[in-house]
Amino acid sequence: MSAAGALLDVRGLTVRFGGLVALDGVDVAVAEGETVGVIGPNGSGKTTLFNALTGLYAPAGGEIVFRGRRLAGLEAHAIARLGIARTFQASRLCLDLSVFDNILIGMHAGRRTGLVDFVVRRRRFLGEIRAALERASHLLALFNRDLPSRGFERVGQLPQIDRRRVEICRALAAAPTLLLLDEPSAGMNPEETAELMRDLRIVREEMPGLSVVIIEHDMFVIEGVSQRVVAFNYGRKIAEGSFAAVAAHGEVRAAYLGTEAVGA
Ligand SMILES: Nc1ncnc2c1ncn2[C@@H]1O[C@H](COP(=O)(O)OP(=O)(O)OP(=O)(O)O)[C@@H](O)[C@H]1O
Ligand SMILES: [Mg+2]
């Protein structure tokens, strides 16, 4: 797509760790409402892209423009407030906290009050909390109608698929315009993966303006949910286009040779 008018426009993004170039002059644009799949072998820079987008890593070069605004120098919480939310490759749910508590932590990203205020002076925020619980229930019910009734249970008691749903709801709770999903199907069996794909389609239908970037090793998921695919290898973007075009791309096939077949 053309970068002009894109929701997210990443140009020449370079991230270094000492002598290692984790991202090397990467260009990626994401349009409003678009779902972009990101593939690439282990260590190719996929998570590094998310970490740079969310302000966890400071780029050595290039720029990130989100909703017309350059993100350079902004801290992670400021970027979250601008509308970028994410899930992590390794779950960051607090298993001992309730489902609702975990989601309310996500809503905090969009708030101006301090987390301490939010937790300690709860009475001041009762009305807001009630609204937040309603929103959390609404989000959970999109994926599983039984989940809102388990909102006060510990997340650790839920099955894997529902935990992943809580993580996605936590990210959605901040009402982002860009949702970054880092290997959401990791650790799932084929049935759970099929449910996840169904969930992602529901997100698309319910929030048509939301843009999604999804990193996945499962090519079935990538093919099923993305409108466009970007492939990385050694920190460089080596292919971009439809799933079919990217899966057939010579450099992509070579990158995956000996690890897994793409689109086979
Ligand atoms: N904080 C860090 N410090 C040092 N090196 C890092 C750091 N984060 C990532 N790297 C390195 O940068 C490269 C890209 O890592 P990244 O996590 O982005 O890969 P990935 O494509 O997400 O891989 P995977 O599919 O295994 O998750 C790797 O060589 C990794 O070891
Ligand atoms: Mg990764």
Side-chain angles (χ1 to χ4, degrees), residues 234-254:
Y234 294 113
R236 287 187 309 112
K237 184 175 80 176
I238 57 170
E240 180 169 16
S242 68
F243 175 81
V246 170
H249 193 280
E251 219 176 325
V252 175
R253 300 197 79 88

Side-chain angles (χ1 to χ4, degrees), residues 17-18 20-23 40-49 51 57 89 182-183 215 217 232:
F17 299 107
L20 177 86
V21 184
L23 282 181
N42 294 118
S44 57
K46 306 181 298 296
T47 297
T48 299
L49 173 68
N51 287 340
Y57 294 167
Q89 194 162 347
D182 196 346
E183 296 193 34
I215 296 173
H217 280 293
F232 284 5

